[in-house]
Amino acid sequence: MDVTKLFERGKEAFERENWGLAVMIWQQLLAMQPDHLDARRLLREAESRKWAQEGRGVTARVLAFVKGLGGLLGFVIHMVRKNYELAMIDTEKVLAHDPNCGPMLWGLAAAATKGGHADVAMVTMEYLRQRNPNSSKPLRRLGYLYEEKDDIGRAIDVWSKLKNMVPNDREAETKLRDLAAVKTMTDGKYDTATQKGSTYRESLKSKEDSEEMEEEHRIIRTEEDLGRAIERVEKDVEQNPNNKGYLLQLGDLHRRAKNRQKARELYNRAQKIDQMDFSIPERLGELRIEEYTERENTLAKKVEASPDDAKAKSELEDMRKEKFDFCLNEYQRQVQVRPTDAGLRAKLGDLLYSVQNFD
């Protein structure tokens, strides 16, 4: 069926306040054309009105969970198999019964991002942001999404809002500084005495200086970009071995390259220089969590390949318990150090929610 006709049929049902029919039609449309943003926005609105009409109590949430269980299982399976568009369809099956299900909205954004539908992820984060105006998590994710799309202006706006929400957020401070430099270098044009309309590159002292500055602030997209960044910062560390900032920057790059042993060595060196920098224990903690996750994924694949392997199942169960205990202690420690950081509280809350510790 023609997508335009489907969209209009959905609008007609919406205007008649037939929320259930509108939801069904727009779900069908989005299965055909995932990037139809107007349909996705209106779908959220129709689901919200249907949810309000049918009741929003505990019983409604339980029923919604039961009705959406098939979609939830399908989402997990399709994410593992990297069928991201099918995973997006599965999230909508769950959201049709509970449009404010946080884990599924985040799941939709994750599937959309991995499936190359960045605009869908942004629309989803905007919806989450509207529903949770005091949460920094949607803002933080939006900042990354706009940056990855090269929408530097909006990225700066989002990180500024996050900075206003969480004044001591170091990541927001760093992002705002770096993005401002990128915006100046990519958008700025300066008049020179020799050539009208020449760009920033031509106004610098030399081509070599220009290329070095551009390399320093370029957004890392590929493994080659990452390798060049590591080489550049390694030179900085060689020249300034006691510069904590360079050590942390190089550690972050190695962590991104999944060279976690090297990252840990650099973080420990930086910690010896400044014992009062609380961001370093956080980096070390997050690094450990990444290692747990990698081991967990390896064991999970082993169990999936050999479902009857009792030993592998036991190892996976022990692994997950060990990871949970570490994450719980780590996030509780971080929240004690930075009690006003909404992002850290959200991580701890999500962890407790995952084991149904709702209070």
Side-chain angles (χ1 to χ4, degrees):
M1 182 177 289
D2 182 73
V3 168
T4 302
K5 290 181 180 179
L6 267 180
F7 182 68
E8 292 303 322
R9 281 184 57 195
K11 285 179 66 177
E12 290 172 4
F14 185 89
E15 289 166 1
R16 294 196 308 268
E17 299 187 2
N18 189 340
W19 316 125
L21 179 59
V23 168
M24 183 182 70
I25 292 172
W26 281 327
Q27 280 186 330
Q28 183 181 352
L29 185 158
L30 291 171
M32 298 165 57
Q33 188 172 323
D35 292 314
H36 198 304
L37 301 184
D38 287 338
R40 205 170 286 277
R41 290 189 184 97
L42 286 170
L43 174 60
R44 290 284 90 77
E45 182 63 25
E47 289 169 345
S48 296
R49 296 192 184 192
K50 180 173 178 285
W51 174 258
Q53 187 180 65
E54 295 178 353
R56 298 179 291 181
V58 175
T59 302
R61 288 195 176 278
V62 172
L63 288 174
F65 174 79
V66 173
K67 291 177 181 178
L69 191 57
L72 175 60
L73 293 174
F75 168 77
V76 173
I77 292 170
H78 287 130
M79 286 296 285
V80 171
R81 293 178 177 175
K82 299 183 179 181
N83 295 326
Y84 299 121
E85 289 193 356
L86 292 178
M88 291 167 65
I89 293 172
D90 287 321
T91 63
E92 294 295 359
K93 292 178 182 177
V94 180
L95 293 169
H97 303 293
D98 183 359
N100 298 315
C101 180
M104 278 294 93
L105 287 166
W106 280 97
L108 172 58
T113 301
K114 292 183 178 181
H117 303 280
D119 287 338
V120 175
M122 284 185 242
V123 166
T124 305
M125 286 297 104
E126 290 288 3
Y127 178 82
L128 269 167
R129 178 183 163 197
Q130 293 170 6
R131 294 288 173 175
N132 303 280
N134 296 322
S135 174
S136 65
K137 288 184 67 178
L139 274 174
R140 195 179 302 277
R141 185 69 191 124
L142 270 173
Y144 281 113
L145 287 168
Y146 282 130
E147 181 180 348
E148 290 166 5
K149 198 180 178 184
D150 280 339
D151 193 338
I152 304 301
R154 288 189 179 181
I156 290 174
D157 180 61
V158 167
W159 285 108
S160 296
K161 289 176 180 176
L162 179 58
K163 182 71 168 58
N164 291 333
M165 181 184 293
V166 190
N168 297 322
D169 193 293
R170 289 189 179 90
E171 184 178 29
E173 292 176 358
T174 302
K175 284 293 183 183
L176 284 171
R177 183 179 64 248
D178 292 348
L179 288 170
V182 172
K183 184 173 178 61
T184 299
M185 295 171 62
T186 56
D187 295 342
K189 291 187 177 181
Y190 305 89
D191 289 336
T192 67
T194 59
Q195 184 179 356
K196 184 178 178 180
S198 61
T199 64
Y200 76 94
R201 178 187 294 273
E202 295 163 318
S203 69
L204 294 174
K205 292 180 180 179
S206 69
K207 182 179 179 181
E208 182 180 352
D209 290 340
S210 171
E211 290 174 346
E212 184 176 348
M213 284 182 64
E214 190 174 33
E215 180 68 28
E216 183 174 353
H217 293 287
R218 179 178 290 140
I219 298 171
I220 296 173
R221 301 182 184 282
T222 65
E223 291 184 5
E224 289 77 11
D225 292 340
L226 184 57
R228 285 195 296 267
I230 289 174
E231 289 178 4
R232 174 175 53 78
V233 182
E234 280 178 343
K235 293 178 182 177
D236 292 334
V237 171
E238 287 176 7
Q239 296 172 4
N240 304 273
N242 293 320
N243 186 305
K244 181 189 71 173
Y246 288 147
L247 289 169
L248 292 177
Q249 187 180 3
L250 186 56
D252 290 344
L253 290 169
H254 277 292
R255 176 180 166 189
R256 184 165 178 172
K258 296 186 179 180
N259 188 351
R260 299 191 179 96
Q261 182 177 352
K262 183 64 176 179
R264 181 176 288 105
E265 292 173 3
L266 290 160
Y267 291 156
N268 286 331
R269 281 177 60 184
Q271 191 169 40
K272 290 178 181 178
I273 294 170
D274 186 357
Q275 295 284 344
M276 299 304 295
D277 188 337
F278 297 116
S279 73
I280 301 175
E282 288 178 15
R283 282 177 163 90
L284 288 166
E286 294 293 344
L287 189 65
R288 182 85 178 274
I289 291 170
E290 289 173 7
E291 290 173 333
Y292 273 123
T293 301
E294 188 172 274
R295 289 165 58 194
E296 180 186 11
N297 291 339
T298 300
L299 285 171
K301 289 179 181 178
K302 186 177 179 181
V303 170
E304 184 181 1
S306 304
D308 298 328
D309 190 336
K311 183 179 178 181
K313 288 183 178 179
S314 178
E315 289 177 353
L316 178 59
E317 185 177 344
D318 292 343
M319 169 84 264
R320 285 175 171 163
K321 183 180 184 307
E322 184 179 340
K323 177 186 174 183
F324 175 83
D325 290 342
F326 179 83
C327 289
L328 181 61
N329 291 330
E330 177 62 20
Y331 290 146
Q332 286 176 335
R333 182 194 65 76
Q334 290 186 21
V335 166
Q336 288 176 353
V337 173
R338 290 201 284 164
T340 61
D341 191 316
L344 290 178
R345 288 187 174 275
K347 286 182 179 180
L348 180 57
D350 288 344
L351 186 67
L352 294 170
Y353 185 91
S354 70
V355 293
Q356 299 185 3
N357 190 343
F358 300 126
D359 291 340

